[in-house]
Amino acid sequence: MPQAKEVPEKKYPPDVDYSTVLKGMNRVSLLDTTFHTMMGILLITGLVIDLLGPWLGGWLHPIREYAHGYIGALFVLVFAAYIGSVLGKRKTRTVFTVTNYVDLVFYIILIVTGVTTASINSPWIEWFPGIANVLSPLVVYAPAIHVVITYIWIAFSIIFPGGLLHGLASTYLIAHLKKKTKIVKTREE
Amino acid sequence: MQVEKFLDNFGRSETVWMYACSRCGECVDVCPVYNETADKYTAPGFKIKKMRGLITNKLLPFGGKPSVDGAKKIAKGLYECTLCGRCWSVCPYNYDLVGLWEKCRESAFETGLALEPLQQMVDALNAEKNIFKRPHARRTEWAKGLDIPIKEEADTIFFVGCLLSYRGPLKNAAKATAAILNAAGENWTILKDEVCCGAPLKFSGGIRYQEQLMETNIRAI
Ligand code: HEM
Ligand code: SF4
Ligand code: SF4
């Protein structure tokens, strides 16, 4: 009679955790990961400025200017590449919903009002003489629109299954719903 | 048809997954069926998008009733899938998409959205315990005149299956296997009362009927 031999246990399906998903995101699109990371930083720092501003003391300025302002400026470039890649591909157009497209509109509004707000005290505004004229009428309202739109976006994208609900669901799924691991044992003759 | 109950069998994992899917579209590009048909309803990510709509409607207190037409289109797409698993292999979340498709088919089957031939298969299995509706008594006919053991006890059981038992040209594969086992001097047997393993039911959503067949085979072993 042939001898039953133990073979190494195989995990099926493979483990899923934050690092495997992050690796997966990077494999699919580095641009996508960059976009998500920057968006997350902007959201968190934006909310910190708005909600914790009075308590931040000396930290308010660096958070506002560097963490939010400069990353925001970089985000404009990343977003331009991102929206091009998303709208330019059949695969993403197939899976995108109306909510996802509305999310993109929210980003555009945040970018325009953010850049306008930042333009007040940015030296580069001097380099483009025309742009100051375009932006100046907006400057008064831009900060308010920027903040209000942020909260509307948060509400919208949770109520309708948009970007933020997707983020929350992903976090929950990865943390709580670890796949049950079936052990596959085979007998090798 | 009970369209409003379609996808009611979703648990927490499947429901949360509807919203977690990152809409990256990787699965869409690799699906061999979608690439062949160009019908969006066969694209894995598109099916998830449409099912998310149904699930959201169920969760919202003011959500409307699902349209029969829409549910039928989703179900048709679900049945055109080959369960090849390419979508799963590229998904950045590594989410068990094949398990998801099977779960959805089960619901489609239970709510009357499955394709018609499936009911014929279930009827065949109920009546004759094989997918071809050929007489159960003739399952071992291929073994006639050959040296095929049917014993109470053996080291190895050769589970023949519906295809090899009933399908003309494929019977040769069963015969060849028997010849190899004999030549190797194995202490082997076929089952006295083998029935379909039920895999076609698992793939097609008729899981409810699979258990009984499995029981019969396990008892026979
Ligand atoms: C996802 C994207 C973004 C979100 C969620 C967001 C959110 C916010 C929030 C909540 C504030 C708080 C304002 C306050 O209470 O004072 C803020 C301020 C600010 N944001 Fe953004 N923002 C985003 C993108 C951008 C971009 C792309 C820029 C462009 C450079 C930008 C530039 C600014 C500036 C300069 C301020 C300071 C405004 C002030 O203090 O009056 N933001 N942002
Ligand atoms: S398992 Fe189905 S949906 Fe996924 S790639 Fe294969 S045929 Fe397409
Ligand atoms: S590959 Fe996965 S995350 Fe990406 S769209 Fe398909 S199912 Fe969703």
Side-chain angles (χ1 to χ4, degrees):
Chain A
M1 196 194 138
Q3 193 65 38
K5 198 171 96 187
E6 283 281 319
V7 284
E9 286 181 358
K10 251 192 192 168
K11 275 184 177 170
Y12 169 84
D15 281 340
V16 176
D17 56 30
Y18 291 109
S19 72
T20 59
V21 173
L22 193 69
K23 268 186 220 147
M25 277 174 77
N26 275 332
R27 169 174 54 75
V28 170
S29 162
L30 213 56
L31 185 60
D32 193 273
T33 323
T34 317
F35 164 79
H36 276 92
T37 312
M38 294 181 96
M39 189 262 289
I41 295 174
L42 288 174
L43 181 61
I44 291 166
T45 51
L47 290 179
V48 165
I49 303 168
D50 193 46
L51 300 174
L52 305 176
W55 293 282
L56 290 175
W59 284 98
L60 179 62
H61 182 70
I63 291 178
R64 182 180 278 182
E65 183 151 336
Y66 298 107
H68 195 84
Y70 284 130
I71 292 181
L74 277 177
F75 180 74
V76 179
L77 305 177
V78 171
F79 180 77
Y82 174 78
I83 197 171
S85 97
V86 165
L87 300 182
K89 286 184 192 139
R90 177 194 71 162
K91 62 172 186 179
T92 27
R93 286 198 305 267
T94 310
V95 292
F96 255 45
T97 58
V98 177
T99 317
N100 294 131
Y101 288 113
V102 176
D103 272 355
L104 294 180
V105 175
F106 277 119
Y107 290 132
I108 293 171
I109 299 174
L110 285 173
I111 283 175
V112 171
T113 52
V115 170
T116 309
T117 309
S119 70
I120 306 170
N121 43 24
S122 298
W124 55 262
I125 202 77
E126 314 281 322
W127 307 340
F128 308 96
I131 205 167
N133 296 336
V134 179
L135 294 179
S136 56
L138 286 169
V139 163
V140 190
Y141 308 107
I145 299 175
H146 194 74
V147 177
V148 170
I149 284 292
T150 301
Y151 289 107
I152 295 178
W153 173 66
I154 289 175
F156 176 86
S157 119
I158 290 181
I159 296 168
F160 301 92
L164 215 57
L165 184 56
H166 141 67
L168 295 173
S170 299
T171 317
Y172 181 82
L173 188 89
I174 300 166
H176 292 272
L177 298 172
K178 284 242 168 84
K179 305 271 170 54
K180 278 187 216 108
T181 305
K182 280 188 226 161
I183 307 293
V184 180
K185 258 191 193 145
T186 47
R187 209 185 74 171
E188 214 171 55
E189 311 288 88
Chain B
M1 207 178 290
Q2 298 166 292
V3 187
E4 64 285 351
K5 291 204 170 136
F6 183 39
L7 304 187
D8 265 5
N9 65 339
F10 271 21
R12 205 165 6 146
S13 163
E14 292 82 17
T15 307
V16 177
W17 170 245
M18 290 295 117
Y19 302 100
C21 157
S22 74
R23 296 138 219 193
C24 66
E26 279 297 286
C27 53
V28 175
D29 263 2
V30 299
C31 176
V33 180
Y34 176 54
N35 282 324
E36 196 56 44
T37 62
D39 171 6
K40 273 194 203 164
Y41 278 88
T42 61
F46 189 81
K47 282 182 270 198
I48 292 177
K49 164 162 118 180
K50 287 292 165 192
M51 294 196 291
R52 179 166 52 238
L54 290 184
I55 292 292
T56 306
N57 266 346
K58 279 182 201 286
L59 294 176
L60 293 177
F62 47 87
K65 262 192 155 188
S67 87
V68 177
D69 218 37
K72 270 188 178 164
K73 278 187 190 159
I74 298 174
K76 183 168 174 282
L78 286 168
Y79 276 106
E80 280 173 4
C81 157
T82 63
L83 298 179
C84 69
R86 281 190 88 181
C87 47
W88 182 11
S89 72
V90 296
C91 176
Y93 286 75
N94 216 337
Y95 191 80
D96 178 359
L97 291 172
V98 172
L100 178 74
W101 306 138
E102 285 181 352
K103 189 131 193 166
C104 299
R105 282 185 185 182
E106 188 187 350
S107 185
F109 187 85
E110 295 296 339
T111 52
L113 286 162
L115 309 179
E116 214 173 292
L118 280 180
Q119 196 48 53
Q120 292 171 12
M121 183 179 79
V122 170
D123 293 344
L125 285 168
N126 281 337
E128 297 293 349
K129 313 283 177 237
N130 68 78
I131 52 175
F132 306 113
K133 214 173 185 174
R134 303 272 289 276
H136 175 59
R138 288 167 67 181
R139 195 172 179 103
T140 49
E141 211 168 55
W142 65 274
K144 252 192 199 143
L146 298 172
D147 180 17
I148 311 284
I150 302 186
K151 303 184 207 159
E152 281 300 323
E153 235 172 85
D155 295 332
T156 304
I157 292 170
F158 172 29
F159 185 89
V160 190
C162 296
L163 277 166
L164 267 55
S165 297
Y166 288 104
R167 272 294 177 242
L170 288 174
K171 285 181 189 169
N172 287 333
K175 290 174 188 168
T177 310
I180 293 170
L181 286 166
N182 278 337
E186 278 279 344
N187 173 16
W188 72 286
T189 180
I190 58 171
L191 289 176
K192 210 188 295 174
D193 195 23
E194 179 188 291
V195 299
C196 171
C197 66
L201 288 170
K202 181 172 188 293
F203 301 146
S204 59
I207 295 174
R208 184 148 53 96
Y209 298 99
Q210 188 195 11
E211 224 140 78
Q212 201 196 340
L213 294 171
M214 275 166 56
E215 278 278 329
T216 312
N217 279 327
I218 291 168
R219 238 180 289 127
I221 293 168

